[in-house]
Amino acid sequence: MAGRSGRTVRDLRRGNRTAVLQRLYFDGPMSRFELAPATGLSGGSISNVVAELVEDGLVEEAGTVESDGGRPRTLLRVAPSGGHMIGVDVGETRVRVELFDLALTELARTERPLEHHGYDVEVVVGHIRDGIAEVLADTDITPEQLLGVGIGVPGIVAPTPEQGAVVHGQTMGWDAVPLESLLRSTCELPDSVPYFIDNGARTLGQAELWFGSGRGSRNAVVVLFGSGIGACLVTEGVEYGRALEWGHVTVRVRGRRCRCGALGCLEAYAGAGALVDRWREAGGRPPEGTDEETALAALLSAAHPAEDAEADPVALAVLEETAEYVGAGLSDLINLFQPERILIGGWAGLQLGPRLLPALRRYADAYALRHPAARVSIELGELGPDAVTVGAASLPLADFFAGGGRRGARGREREREAAQG
């Protein structure tokens, strides 16, 4: 039965369960007494909801705390064993798959390399399939216990009613790849296990917003540096944030050709591969036959060697020029979105960040408008190289919360909406 607002009793119950689960997850452990004002629910509603969640195995006791003059209060928390998620990072050099419990504690992981940036669709799908099977086999978790599989990919992800999530990845040669339907036909998971496929920068932003440097931000931008470059705008009221193809803003007219085919993109100067290429073209000597991570580490070592060694002036000049390009790109984000924070992540960003942060701040200030530039902080992300997989796993977790602790509730709503056009 629907009330005047159009919400049914089932909707209200789900909303109450969601409120309690989220409060316990992000602010717990908490007592029933604390939950009432924190959620805005009555004491009676809290008792009923908590009883349901305990019966469902989603909430458990977590000790006691003394009260003022009364009996000790029982603390509650979300039960880590109440559900499990898989997070997948389809990166530039590897596919990483991790299995988490409900507290996002890692239970198992595996990685499979992508040789020479080979984004062959069958290879990537095979890596995801085999990775999922491996992390499940390494534990006693069954597919039926999964809340879902979250996957972060390069490119633009669009939902379709016929094929689910479709990936448009121009820089990796993916043109409307029906990734979700390919995974459903390949992976040995029940149809009840939902897939959540999204841009890798968005999953990174989600992770930093919930668990990292972005906590408490009303407006932040999380940027991802790897072989490619992306960004995610995180604002209040926008679920998961909004992916930005920031790596393809033009920082130099008629400049270097980017992987996307355009000229002068930021990625053509500050992506890891492009940065190493520029060092080589300027006379540097990157180690031959190594991957980008090793070559980038060599560039940093040449520019900032150990004590008593002379710095390579060519490497220093390339890094300084890179800092100016990136700083100019950051100024665009500052002027357009006026964020409180800009957080730098991705494997290349974490390598470069500690060395380049002072120069990035200096150039961003120089190119941005004074008012928004004075109100933004530019920092490194906190979550390290696993941030994309953590963020990917948080997608089924967010769906689980929205469904009041019931798997796939929001995913089914999205499917209905897509089918209706």
Side-chain angles (χ1 to χ4, degrees):
M1 178 178 177
R4 292 182 180 179
S5 65
R7 299 185 68 193
T8 65
V9 172
R10 180 181 297 177
D11 293 332
L12 293 172
R13 182 178 299 160
R14 182 176 61 188
N16 291 347
R17 287 169 60 103
T18 294
V20 170
L21 281 172
Q22 288 185 318
R23 186 61 68 177
L24 286 176
Y25 194 86
F26 292 107
D27 300 319
M30 301 176 71
S31 67
R32 291 172 176 81
F33 180 80
E34 294 170 309
L35 276 169
T39 60
L41 300 177
S42 68
S45 294
I46 290 294
S47 295
N48 292 335
V49 171
V50 167
E52 285 183 13
L53 295 173
V54 169
E55 184 178 354
D56 291 345
L58 301 180
V59 168
E60 64 185 17
E61 294 185 358
T64 60
V65 63
E66 294 296 328
S67 62
D68 296 333
R71 292 184 302 173
R73 294 192 179 113
T74 301
L75 295 176
L76 303 167
R77 69 174 183 178
V78 173
S81 60
H84 299 83
M85 301 82 65
I86 288 177
V88 181
D89 175 11
V90 179
E92 293 100 346
T93 59
R94 63 179 62 87
V95 174
R96 177 181 290 143
V97 182
E98 298 182 49
L99 174 66
F100 301 91
D101 66 15
L102 203 56
L104 276 178
T105 300
E106 180 189 303
L107 304 179
R109 76 153 58 195
T110 184
E111 292 185 357
R112 284 164 166 72
L114 292 173
E115 300 294 338
H116 307 296
H117 303 282
Y119 283 112
D120 181 86
V121 174
E122 291 185 6
V123 171
V124 172
V125 170
H127 283 345
I128 296 173
R129 176 199 62 218
D130 296 343
I132 290 173
E134 182 176 333
V135 296
L136 289 174
D138 286 345
T139 65
D140 58 359
I141 306 304
T142 65
E144 288 73 21
Q145 292 175 278
L146 292 176
L147 302 179
V149 178
I151 304 171
V153 298
I156 299 169
V157 180
T160 67
E162 298 86 8
Q163 298 175 307
V166 171
V167 181
H168 303 268
Q170 186 169 325
T171 59
M172 61 187 202
W174 283 19
D175 183 15
V177 171
L179 184 58
E180 183 174 346
S181 64
L182 290 173
L183 290 172
R184 287 211 172 276
S185 65
T186 303
C187 296
E188 296 182 359
L189 293 178
D191 290 341
S192 60
V193 177
Y195 289 89
F196 302 85
I197 302 171
D198 214 326
N199 177 271
R202 285 185 77 186
T203 70
L204 174 67
Q206 177 74 19
E208 289 289 352
L209 176 68
W210 275 13
F211 310 110
S213 301
R215 290 199 70 173
S217 296
R218 292 173 300 170
N219 186 6
V221 175
V222 183
V223 298
L224 184 154
F225 284 89
S227 293
I229 294 175
C232 175
L233 173 66
V234 180
T235 56
E236 283 186 318
V238 178
E239 186 180 41
Y240 305 142
R242 185 175 55 163
L244 307 172
E245 290 294 335
W246 178 58
H248 302 288
V249 299
T250 302
V251 294
R252 186 167 182 175
V253 176
R254 294 187 294 275
R256 294 172 60 89
R257 188 167 296 280
C258 180
R259 296 187 301 171
C260 73
L263 297 175
C265 294
L266 175 61
E267 188 173 298
Y269 291 89
L275 212 167
V276 173
D277 288 343
R278 288 173 47 232
W279 182 31
R280 182 185 297 108
E281 293 163 7
R285 296 183 178 180
E288 297 297 331
T290 58
D291 59 26
E292 284 181 356
E293 294 186 41
T294 303
L296 190 60
L299 169 59
L300 286 168
S301 179
H304 302 280
E307 292 183 8
D308 301 327
E310 187 175 347
D312 176 0
V314 173
L316 279 171
V318 168
L319 287 179
E320 183 68 20
E321 185 182 45
T322 301
E324 183 167 9
Y325 283 125
V326 174
L330 293 177
S331 74
D332 290 337
L333 296 175
I334 293 169
N335 290 342
L336 287 170
F337 303 113
Q338 301 182 27
E340 299 170 3
R341 304 177 199 176
I342 294 178
L343 307 176
I344 296 173
W347 67 263
L350 296 174
Q351 280 194 27
L352 293 168
R355 294 291 186 181
L356 295 189
L357 266 181
L360 292 181
R361 292 167 177 152
R362 185 174 69 250
Y363 284 119
D365 283 345
Y367 284 103
L369 295 171
R370 287 193 301 272
H371 181 76
R375 287 159 175 77
V376 65
S377 64
I378 302 174
E379 308 292 341
L380 291 179
E382 292 181 358
L383 298 180
D386 289 342
V388 172
T389 48
V390 171
S394 74
L395 301 181
L397 179 61
D399 182 79
F400 175 73
F401 286 149
R406 309 200 191 283
R407 184 173 65 184
R410 191 187 335 178
R412 290 191 294 271
E413 290 177 5
R414 282 202 301 264
E415 291 172 1
R416 287 196 297 268
E417 291 171 0
Q420 294 169 2

mmCIF file with all atom_site columns, all heavy atoms in Angstrom, residues 10-27:
data_model
loop_
_atom_site.group_PDB
_atom_site.id
_atom_site.type_symbol
_atom_site.label_atom_id
_atom_site.label_alt_id
_atom_site.label_comp_id
_atom_site.label_asym_id
_atom_site.label_entity_id
_atom_site.label_seq_id
_atom_site.pdbx_PDB_ins_code
_atom_site.Cartn_x
_atom_site.Cartn_y
_atom_site.Cartn_z
_atom_site.occupancy
_atom_site.B_iso_or_equiv
_atom_site.pdbx_formal_charge
_atom_site.auth_seq_id
_atom_site.auth_comp_id
_atom_site.auth_asym_id
_atom_site.auth_atom_id
_atom_site.pdbx_PDB_model_num
ATOM 1   N N   . ARG A 1 10 ? 6.933  -1.295 2.312  1.00 0.00 ? 10 ARG A N   1
ATOM 2   C CA  . ARG A 1 10 ? 8.180  -1.979 1.979  1.00 0.00 ? 10 ARG A CA  1
ATOM 3   C C   . ARG A 1 10 ? 9.299  -0.969 1.729  1.00 0.00 ? 10 ARG A C   1
ATOM 4   O O   . ARG A 1 10 ? 10.435 -1.165 2.160  1.00 0.00 ? 10 ARG A O   1
ATOM 5   C CB  . ARG A 1 10 ? 7.976  -2.856 0.745  1.00 0.00 ? 10 ARG A CB  1
ATOM 6   C CG  . ARG A 1 10 ? 9.239  -3.609 0.316  1.00 0.00 ? 10 ARG A CG  1
ATOM 7   C CD  . ARG A 1 10 ? 8.990  -4.443 -0.927 1.00 0.00 ? 10 ARG A CD  1
ATOM 8   N NE  . ARG A 1 10 ? 7.984  -5.470 -0.658 1.00 0.00 ? 10 ARG A NE  1
ATOM 9   C CZ  . ARG A 1 10 ? 7.535  -6.297 -1.595 1.00 0.00 ? 10 ARG A CZ  1
ATOM 10  N NH1 . ARG A 1 10 ? 7.963  -6.184 -2.850 1.00 0.00 ? 10 ARG A NH1 1
ATOM 11  N NH2 . ARG A 1 10 ? 6.643  -7.228 -1.294 1.00 0.00 ? 10 ARG A NH2 1
ATOM 12  N N   . ASP A 1 11 ? 8.970  0.134  1.035  1.00 0.00 ? 11 ASP A N   1
ATOM 13  C CA  . ASP A 1 11 ? 9.975  1.177  0.793  1.00 0.00 ? 11 ASP A CA  1
ATOM 14  C C   . ASP A 1 11 ? 10.468 1.772  2.118  1.00 0.00 ? 11 ASP A C   1
ATOM 15  O O   . ASP A 1 11 ? 11.669 2.014  2.292  1.00 0.00 ? 11 ASP A O   1
ATOM 16  C CB  . ASP A 1 11 ? 9.397  2.294  -0.076 1.00 0.00 ? 11 ASP A CB  1
ATOM 17  C CG  . ASP A 1 11 ? 9.089  1.843  -1.489 1.00 0.00 ? 11 ASP A CG  1
ATOM 18  O OD1 . ASP A 1 11 ? 9.754  0.906  -1.973 1.00 0.00 ? 11 ASP A OD1 1
ATOM 19  O OD2 . ASP A 1 11 ? 8.176  2.429  -2.111 1.00 0.00 ? 11 ASP A OD2 1
ATOM 20  N N   . LEU A 1 12 ? 9.537  2.038  3.016  1.00 0.00 ? 12 LEU A N   1
ATOM 21  C CA  . LEU A 1 12 ? 9.912  2.625  4.306  1.00 0.00 ? 12 LEU A CA  1
ATOM 22  C C   . LEU A 1 12 ? 10.786 1.675  5.108  1.00 0.00 ? 12 LEU A C   1
ATOM 23  O O   . LEU A 1 12 ? 11.779 2.088  5.722  1.00 0.00 ? 12 LEU A O   1
ATOM 24  C CB  . LEU A 1 12 ? 8.653  2.981  5.101  1.00 0.00 ? 12 LEU A CB  1
ATOM 25  C CG  . LEU A 1 12 ? 7.795  4.121  4.524  1.00 0.00 ? 12 LEU A CG  1
ATOM 26  C CD1 . LEU A 1 12 ? 6.491  4.241  5.299  1.00 0.00 ? 12 LEU A CD1 1
ATOM 27  C CD2 . LEU A 1 12 ? 8.559  5.442  4.571  1.00 0.00 ? 12 LEU A CD2 1
ATOM 28  N N   . ARG A 1 13 ? 10.431 0.406  5.098  1.00 0.00 ? 13 ARG A N   1
ATOM 29  C CA  . ARG A 1 13 ? 11.231 -0.576 5.840  1.00 0.00 ? 13 ARG A CA  1
ATOM 30  C C   . ARG A 1 13 ? 12.625 -0.676 5.236  1.00 0.00 ? 13 ARG A C   1
ATOM 31  O O   . ARG A 1 13 ? 13.625 -0.738 5.961  1.00 0.00 ? 13 ARG A O   1
ATOM 32  C CB  . ARG A 1 13 ? 10.528 -1.934 5.800  1.00 0.00 ? 13 ARG A CB  1
ATOM 33  C CG  . ARG A 1 13 ? 11.258 -3.024 6.581  1.00 0.00 ? 13 ARG A CG  1
ATOM 34  C CD  . ARG A 1 13 ? 10.480 -4.326 6.534  1.00 0.00 ? 13 ARG A CD  1
ATOM 35  N NE  . ARG A 1 13 ? 9.164  -4.166 7.128  1.00 0.00 ? 13 ARG A NE  1
ATOM 36  C CZ  . ARG A 1 13 ? 8.146  -4.986 6.899  1.00 0.00 ? 13 ARG A CZ  1
ATOM 37  N NH1 . ARG A 1 13 ? 8.291  -6.004 6.076  1.00 0.00 ? 13 ARG A NH1 1
ATOM 38  N NH2 . ARG A 1 13 ? 6.986  -4.777 7.486  1.00 0.00 ? 13 ARG A NH2 1
ATOM 39  N N   . ARG A 1 14 ? 12.697 -0.701 3.911  1.00 0.00 ? 14 ARG A N   1
ATOM 40  C CA  . ARG A 1 14 ? 14.008 -0.759 3.267  1.00 0.00 ? 14 ARG A CA  1
ATOM 41  C C   . ARG A 1 14 ? 14.824 0.474  3.585  1.00 0.00 ? 14 ARG A C   1
ATOM 42  O O   . ARG A 1 14 ? 16.030 0.394  3.865  1.00 0.00 ? 14 ARG A O   1
ATOM 43  C CB  . ARG A 1 14 ? 13.847 -0.901 1.745  1.00 0.00 ? 14 ARG A CB  1
ATOM 44  C CG  . ARG A 1 14 ? 15.169 -1.010 0.998  1.00 0.00 ? 14 ARG A CG  1
ATOM 45  C CD  . ARG A 1 14 ? 14.942 -1.255 -0.476 1.00 0.00 ? 14 ARG A CD  1
ATOM 46  N NE  . ARG A 1 14 ? 14.195 -0.164 -1.096 1.00 0.00 ? 14 ARG A NE  1
ATOM 47  C CZ  . ARG A 1 14 ? 13.732 -0.193 -2.337 1.00 0.00 ? 14 ARG A CZ  1
ATOM 48  N NH1 . ARG A 1 14 ? 13.905 -1.274 -3.089 1.00 0.00 ? 14 ARG A NH1 1
ATOM 49  N NH2 . ARG A 1 14 ? 13.073 0.827  -2.846 1.00 0.00 ? 14 ARG A NH2 1
ATOM 50  N N   . GLY A 1 15 ? 14.186 1.638  3.585  1.00 0.00 ? 15 GLY A N   1
ATOM 51  C CA  . GLY A 1 15 ? 14.893 2.872  3.905  1.00 0.00 ? 15 GLY A CA  1
ATOM 52  C C   . GLY A 1 15 ? 15.418 2.877  5.327  1.00 0.00 ? 15 GLY A C   1
ATOM 53  O O   . GLY A 1 15 ? 16.529 3.355  5.595  1.00 0.00 ? 15 GLY A O   1
ATOM 54  N N   . ASN A 1 16 ? 14.639 2.338  6.253  1.00 0.00 ? 16 ASN A N   1
ATOM 55  C CA  . ASN A 1 16 ? 15.093 2.263  7.644  1.00 0.00 ? 16 ASN A CA  1
ATOM 56  C C   . ASN A 1 16 ? 16.282 1.316  7.791  1.00 0.00 ? 16 ASN A C   1
ATOM 57  O O   . ASN A 1 16 ? 17.246 1.605  8.508  1.00 0.00 ? 16 ASN A O   1
ATOM 58  C CB  . ASN A 1 16 ? 13.948 1.790  8.547  1.00 0.00 ? 16 ASN A CB  1
ATOM 59  C CG  . ASN A 1 16 ? 12.837 2.826  8.665  1.00 0.00 ? 16 ASN A CG  1
ATOM 60  O OD1 . ASN A 1 16 ? 13.001 3.982  8.273  1.00 0.00 ? 16 ASN A OD1 1
ATOM 61  N ND2 . ASN A 1 16 ? 11.696 2.409  9.195  1.00 0.00 ? 16 ASN A ND2 1
ATOM 62  N N   . ARG A 1 17 ? 16.218 0.194  7.096  1.00 0.00 ? 17 ARG A N   1
ATOM 63  C CA  . ARG A 1 17 ? 17.334 -0.755 7.143  1.00 0.00 ? 17 ARG A CA  1
ATOM 64  C C   . ARG A 1 17 ? 18.590 -0.131 6.548  1.00 0.00 ? 17 ARG A C   1
ATOM 65  O O   . ARG A 1 17 ? 19.701 -0.278 7.074  1.00 0.00 ? 17 ARG A O   1
ATOM 66  C CB  . ARG A 1 17 ? 16.967 -2.041 6.399  1.00 0.00 ? 17 ARG A CB  1
ATOM 67  C CG  . ARG A 1 17 ? 15.979 -2.929 7.128  1.00 0.00 ? 17 ARG A CG  1
ATOM 68  C CD  . ARG A 1 17 ? 15.457 -4.035 6.219  1.00 0.00 ? 17 ARG A CD  1
ATOM 69  N NE  . ARG A 1 17 ? 16.519 -4.900 5.721  1.00 0.00 ? 17 ARG A NE  1
ATOM 70  C CZ  . ARG A 1 17 ? 16.772 -6.128 6.212  1.00 0.00 ? 17 ARG A CZ  1
ATOM 71  N NH1 . ARG A 1 17 ? 16.050 -6.623 7.212  1.00 0.00 ? 17 ARG A NH1 1
ATOM 72  N NH2 . ARG A 1 17 ? 17.737 -6.872 5.683  1.00 0.00 ? 17 ARG A NH2 1
ATOM 73  N N   . THR A 1 18 ? 18.403 0.595  5.441  1.00 0.00 ? 18 THR A N   1
ATOM 74  C CA  . THR A 1 18 ? 19.536 1.265  4.812  1.00 0.00 ? 18 THR A CA  1
ATOM 75  C C   . THR A 1 18 ? 20.185 2.267  5.763  1.00 0.00 ? 18 THR A C   1
ATOM 76  O O   . THR A 1 18 ? 21.410 2.324  5.907  1.00 0.00 ? 18 THR A O   1
ATOM 77  C CB  . THR A 1 18 ? 19.086 1.982  3.527  1.00 0.00 ? 18 THR A CB  1
ATOM 78  O OG1 . THR A 1 18 ? 18.675 1.015  2.560  1.00 0.00 ? 18 THR A OG1 1
ATOM 79  C CG2 . THR A 1 18 ? 20.210 2.832  2.933  1.00 0.00 ? 18 THR A CG2 1
ATOM 80  N N   . ALA A 1 19 ? 19.351 3.067  6.424  1.00 0.00 ? 19 ALA A N   1
ATOM 81  C CA  . ALA A 1 19 ? 19.864 4.091  7.337  1.00 0.00 ? 19 ALA A CA  1
ATOM 82  C C   . ALA A 1 19 ? 20.683 3.470  8.458  1.00 0.00 ? 19 ALA A C   1
ATOM 83  O O   . ALA A 1 19 ? 21.773 3.956  8.809  1.00 0.00 ? 19 ALA A O   1
ATOM 84  C CB  . ALA A 1 19 ? 18.713 4.918  7.905  1.00 0.00 ? 19 ALA A CB  1
ATOM 85  N N   . VAL A 1 20 ? 20.198 2.378  9.030  1.00 0.00 ? 20 VAL A N   1
ATOM 86  C CA  . VAL A 1 20 ? 20.907 1.734  10.140 1.00 0.00 ? 20 VAL A CA  1
ATOM 87  C C   . VAL A 1 20 ? 22.201 1.090  9.648  1.00 0.00 ? 20 VAL A C   1
ATOM 88  O O   . VAL A 1 20 ? 23.267 1.233  10.261 1.00 0.00 ? 20 VAL A O   1
ATOM 89  C CB  . VAL A 1 20 ? 19.996 0.694  10.824 1.00 0.00 ? 20 VAL A CB  1
ATOM 90  C CG1 . VAL A 1 20 ? 20.787 -0.145 11.818 1.00 0.00 ? 20 VAL A CG1 1
ATOM 91  C CG2 . VAL A 1 20 ? 18.833 1.395  11.518 1.00 0.00 ? 20 VAL A CG2 1
ATOM 92  N N   . LEU A 1 21 ? 22.134 0.377  8.522  1.00 0.00 ? 21 LEU A N   1
ATOM 93  C CA  . LEU A 1 21 ? 23.330 -0.283 8.006  1.00 0.00 ? 21 LEU A CA  1
ATOM 94  C C   . LEU A 1 21 ? 24.430 0.730  7.681  1.00 0.00 ? 21 LEU A C   1
ATOM 95  O O   . LEU A 1 21 ? 25.597 0.536  8.035  1.00 0.00 ? 21 LEU A O   1
ATOM 96  C CB  . LEU A 1 21 ? 22.978 -1.089 6.755  1.00 0.00 ? 21 LEU A CB  1
ATOM 97  C CG  . LEU A 1 21 ? 22.318 -2.442 6.971  1.00 0.00 ? 21 LEU A CG  1
ATOM 98  C CD1 . LEU A 1 21 ? 21.848 -3.016 5.640  1.00 0.00 ? 21 LEU A CD1 1
ATOM 99  C CD2 . LEU A 1 21 ? 23.291 -3.412 7.636  1.00 0.00 ? 21 LEU A CD2 1
ATOM 100 N N   . GLN A 1 22 ? 24.078 1.811  7.005  1.00 0.00 ? 22 GLN A N   1
ATOM 101 C CA  . GLN A 1 22 ? 25.088 2.797  6.620  1.00 0.00 ? 22 GLN A CA  1
ATOM 102 C C   . GLN A 1 22 ? 25.688 3.483  7.845  1.00 0.00 ? 22 GLN A C   1
ATOM 103 O O   . GLN A 1 22 ? 26.901 3.730  7.888  1.00 0.00 ? 22 GLN A O   1
ATOM 104 C CB  . GLN A 1 22 ? 24.485 3.817  5.664  1.00 0.00 ? 22 GLN A CB  1
ATOM 105 C CG  . GLN A 1 22 ? 24.211 3.250  4.280  1.00 0.00 ? 22 GLN A CG  1
ATOM 106 C CD  . GLN A 1 22 ? 23.725 4.302  3.314  1.00 0.00 ? 22 GLN A CD  1
ATOM 107 O OE1 . GLN A 1 22 ? 22.906 5.148  3.662  1.00 0.00 ? 22 GLN A OE1 1
ATOM 108 N NE2 . GLN A 1 22 ? 24.211 4.267  2.086  1.00 0.00 ? 22 GLN A NE2 1
ATOM 109 N N   . ARG A 1 23 ? 24.857 3.799  8.817  1.00 0.00 ? 23 ARG A N   1
ATOM 110 C CA  . ARG A 1 23 ? 25.377 4.476  10.004 1.00 0.00 ? 23 ARG A CA  1
ATOM 111 C C   . ARG A 1 23 ? 26.330 3.557  10.761 1.00 0.00 ? 23 ARG A C   1
ATOM 112 O O   . ARG A 1 23 ? 27.403 3.981  11.207 1.00 0.00 ? 23 ARG A O   1
ATOM 113 C CB  . ARG A 1 23 ? 24.226 4.921  10.901 1.00 0.00 ? 23 ARG A CB  1
ATOM 114 C CG  . ARG A 1 23 ? 24.668 5.757  12.078 1.00 0.00 ? 23 ARG A CG  1
ATOM 115 C CD  . ARG A 1 23 ? 25.349 7.038  11.644 1.00 0.00 ? 23 ARG A CD  1
ATOM 116 N NE  . ARG A 1 23 ? 24.417 7.954  10.998 1.00 0.00 ? 23 ARG A NE  1
ATOM 117 C CZ  . ARG A 1 23 ? 24.753 9.164  10.573 1.00 0.00 ? 23 ARG A CZ  1
ATOM 118 N NH1 . ARG A 1 23 ? 25.995 9.595  10.733 1.00 0.00 ? 23 ARG A NH1 1
ATOM 119 N NH2 . ARG A 1 23 ? 23.869 9.943  9.984  1.00 0.00 ? 23 ARG A NH2 1
ATOM 120 N N   . LEU A 1 24 ? 25.961 2.285  10.902 1.00 0.00 ? 24 LEU A N   1
ATOM 121 C CA  . LEU A 1 24 ? 26.840 1.351  11.586 1.00 0.00 ? 24 LEU A CA  1
ATOM 122 C C   . LEU A 1 24 ? 28.121 1.109  10.785 1.00 0.00 ? 24 LEU A C   1
ATOM 123 O O   . LEU A 1 24 ? 29.208 0.965  11.355 1.00 0.00 ? 24 LEU A O   1
ATOM 124 C CB  . LEU A 1 24 ? 26.127 0.013  11.806 1.00 0.00 ? 24 LEU A CB  1
ATOM 125 C CG  . LEU A 1 24 ? 25.048 -0.018 12.893 1.00 0.00 ? 24 LEU A CG  1
ATOM 126 C CD1 . LEU A 1 24 ? 24.381 -1.387 12.925 1.00 0.00 ? 24 LEU A CD1 1
ATOM 127 C CD2 . LEU A 1 24 ? 25.638 0.314  14.260 1.00 0.00 ? 24 LEU A CD2 1
ATOM 128 N N   . TYR A 1 25 ? 27.998 1.086  9.469  1.00 0.00 ? 25 TYR A N   1
ATOM 129 C CA  . TYR A 1 25 ? 29.158 0.788  8.631  1.00 0.00 ? 25 TYR A CA  1
ATOM 130 C C   . TYR A 1 25 ? 30.196 1.904  8.699  1.00 0.00 ? 25 TYR A C   1
ATOM 131 O O   . TYR A 1 25 ? 31.398 1.639  8.851  1.00 0.00 ? 25 TYR A O   1
ATOM 132 C CB  . TYR A 1 25 ? 28.705 0.582  7.183  1.00 0.00 ? 25 TYR A CB  1
ATOM 133 C CG  . TYR A 1 25 ? 29.778 -0.044 6.319  1.00 0.00 ? 25 TYR A CG  1
ATOM 134 C CD1 . TYR A 1 25 ? 29.917 -1.426 6.277  1.00 0.00 ? 25 TYR A CD1 1
ATOM 135 C CD2 . TYR A 1 25 ? 30.643 0.730  5.557  1.00 0.00 ? 25 TYR A CD2 1
ATOM 136 C CE1 . TYR A 1 25 ? 30.902 -2.020 5.485  1.00 0.00 ? 25 TYR A CE1 1
ATOM 137 C CE2 . TYR A 1 25 ? 31.628 0.150  4.780  1.00 0.00 ? 25 TYR A CE2 1
ATOM 138 C CZ  . TYR A 1 25 ? 31.751 -1.226 4.746  1.00 0.00 ? 25 TYR A CZ  1
ATOM 139 O OH  . TYR A 1 25 ? 32.733 -1.800 3.976  1.00 0.00 ? 25 TYR A OH  1
ATOM 140 N N   . PHE A 1 26 ? 29.743 3.144  8.582  1.00 0.00 ? 26 PHE A N   1
ATOM 141 C CA  . PHE A 1 26 ? 30.689 4.249  8.490  1.00 0.00 ? 26 PHE A CA  1
ATOM 142 C C   . PHE A 1 26 ? 31.030 4.869  9.841  1.00 0.00 ? 26 PHE A C   1
ATOM 143 O O   . PHE A 1 26 ? 32.093 5.482  9.985  1.00 0.00 ? 26 PHE A O   1
ATOM 144 C CB  . PHE A 1 26 ? 30.150 5.329  7.546  1.00 0.00 ? 26 PHE A CB  1
ATOM 145 C CG  . PHE A 1 26 ? 30.096 4.884  6.110  1.00 0.00 ? 26 PHE A CG  1
ATOM 146 C CD1 . PHE A 1 26 ? 28.870 4.600  5.512  1.00 0.00 ? 26 PHE A CD1 1
ATOM 147 C CD2 . PHE A 1 26 ? 31.249 4.724  5.379  1.00 0.00 ? 26 PHE A CD2 1
ATOM 148 C CE1 . PHE A 1 26 ? 28.818 4.172  4.188  1.00 0.00 ? 26 PHE A CE1 1
ATOM 149 C CE2 . PHE A 1 26 ? 31.207 4.294  4.060  1.00 0.00 ? 26 PHE A CE2 1
ATOM 150 C CZ  . PHE A 1 26 ? 29.988 4.020  3.465  1.00 0.00 ? 26 PHE A CZ  1
ATOM 151 N N   . ASP A 1 27 ? 30.147 4.721  10.841 1.00 0.00 ? 27 ASP A N   1
ATOM 152 C CA  . ASP A 1 27 ? 30.375 5.373  12.131 1.00 0.00 ? 27 ASP A CA  1
ATOM 153 C C   . ASP A 1 27 ? 30.383 4.413  13.307 1.00 0.00 ? 27 ASP A C   1
ATOM 154 O O   . ASP A 1 27 ? 30.563 4.837  14.452 1.00 0.00 ? 27 ASP A O   1
ATOM 155 C CB  . ASP A 1 27 ? 29.312 6.452  12.377 1.00 0.00 ? 27 ASP A CB  1
ATOM 156 C CG  . ASP A 1 27 ? 29.344 7.528  11.304 1.00 0.00 ? 27 ASP A CG  1
ATOM 157 O OD1 . ASP A 1 27 ? 30.449 7.926  10.899 1.00 0.00 ? 27 ASP A OD1 1
ATOM 158 O OD2 . ASP A 1 27 ? 28.261 7.953  10.865 1.00 0.00 ? 27 ASP A OD2 1
#
